[in-house]
Amino acid sequence: MPVPAVKDDEVLIRVKAAGVDPGAFHRMAGTPYLVRLMGFGFTRPNQPVAGGDVAGVVEKIGANVTRLKVGDEVFGAAEGSFAEFVVAKEGMLARKPANVSWEQAAAVPTSAVTALRGVKVAGPAKKALVIGAAGGVGTFLVQLHEGEVTAVCSGGKADLVRGIGAAHVVDYTKDDLGTGRYDVVYDTYGNRDLKVLRRRLTPNGTLVLLGGRPTGRFVGIGRTVRALLLGPFVRHQIKALFVFPTTQEFDDLGERLANGTLVPVLDRTFPLSEAKQAIDHVMAGRAKGKSVITL
């Protein structure tokens, strides 16, 4: 394919690494079908190249770009990042800290912004339960939440989540969500009934739904819709997040990466030629942290 053209508010990036998340599959496959109605293409993908997270070097800038210059090392959001070159809006990029690898930087954008937004919604210094704590969003939640964290994951991932700050671990293969009560429950996986999740909350607790795996071929977010409808009628706060990153959030994450308070957990890296295998790996739920494509 030709190198993408650069508009006035865009930059051209030579890709060094690209993060892999379930969105890459859903946007390319067009399932659930709601994805097609959201503007990603009805009969075929509007963007023929997969990938949405990027880390790389600025090769060219548009006429109206002022924050970045050629040669800057950046990370952020860019549709079509599974390629040697990709274009991105200037406002969707931040400078990569020198102490962070390309792979670590590429792991950050979608997952870390989602976690950061979830923590802001929940509020600081609360006792939290993180479901899916060893996954892409979950590993960032464990680090970003300011209060005590109990991590829900399989027993084989217990050491990983303890190593990034979890105070307690619940092995869902033996005890599902345990018996404790929490000020906030973060659910990154999406396969449990709302009643089950609310039982783990204190009377005035907050349930934060962060993505998860869509169910069904048509809408895929039925549980999220039910949660929003239920919210006004219960004491619990129920928040369902649909995250669109901002420049400020990328800059915030860049500062945390630079000072070492946020460390991306990498699972596997794949060459660009194995992009399909990378997506299959993530969709199978086998990843510990984030998987990344390298060039």
Side-chain angles (χ1 to χ4, degrees), residues 109-130:
T110 297
S111 294
V113 168
T114 300
L116 183 65
R117 193 79 61 87
V119 168
K120 289 179 179 179
V121 165
K126 294 182 178 181
K127 188 177 178 182
L129 183 72
V130 177

Side-chain angles (χ1 to χ4, degrees), residues 45-264:
N46 287 339
Q47 170 53 264
V49 182
D53 293 350
V54 69
V57 180
V58 175
E59 289 278 313
K60 185 178 180 179
I61 64 174
N64 297 333
V65 172
T66 57
R67 293 175 59 245
L68 300 173
K69 63 182 185 300
V70 173
D72 282 349
E73 298 182 349
V74 296
F75 72 97
E79 288 295 319
S81 60
F82 293 1
E84 290 89 348
F85 293 93
V86 68
V87 292
K89 298 287 187 182
E90 180 187 26
M92 290 292 97
L93 299 169
R95 287 181 175 83
K96 181 184 78 67
N99 61 322
V100 175
S101 70
W102 294 116
E103 293 82 3
Q104 288 176 315
V108 168
T110 297
S111 294
V113 168
T114 300
L116 183 65
R117 193 79 61 87
V119 168
K120 289 179 179 179
V121 165
K126 294 182 178 181
K127 188 177 178 182
L129 183 72
V130 177
I131 302 170
V137 176
T139 52
F140 288 116
L141 278 169
V142 172
Q143 296 179 71
L144 290 169
H145 184 83
E146 297 181 5
E148 180 182 286
V149 171
T150 296
V152 178
C153 60
S154 63
K157 301 175 182 178
D159 289 343
L160 183 155
V161 295
R162 287 194 180 98
I164 57 175
H168 311 283
V169 179
V170 174
D171 182 349
Y172 72 86
T173 65
K174 298 179 179 179
D175 195 19
D176 195 34
L177 302 183
T179 58
R181 294 290 186 97
Y182 303 88
D183 300 302
V184 56
V185 170
Y186 300 104
D187 182 20
T188 73
Y189 209 74
N191 64 338
R192 291 175 176 83
D193 189 88
L194 294 172
K195 292 180 180 179
V196 174
L197 299 176
R198 290 178 56 215
R199 291 191 191 107
R200 301 277 65 81
L201 287 170
T202 57
N204 295 309
T206 301
L207 172 61
V208 183
L209 306 177
L210 302 105
R213 297 176 179 273
T215 57
R217 297 181 62 187
F218 293 94
V219 177
I221 55 171
R223 191 187 69 152
T224 300
V225 173
R226 292 194 298 274
L228 295 174
L229 294 174
L230 177 66
F233 303 100
V234 297
R235 292 180 62 184
H236 295 139
Q237 295 290 314
I238 301 178
K239 308 290 185 179
L241 300 187
F242 300 91
V243 177
F244 298 92
T246 66
T247 305
Q248 182 178 356
E249 287 170 325
F250 284 136
D251 288 340
D252 182 347
L253 293 169
E255 292 179 9
R256 295 172 189 263
L257 291 169
N259 62 31
T261 57
L262 186 69
V263 179

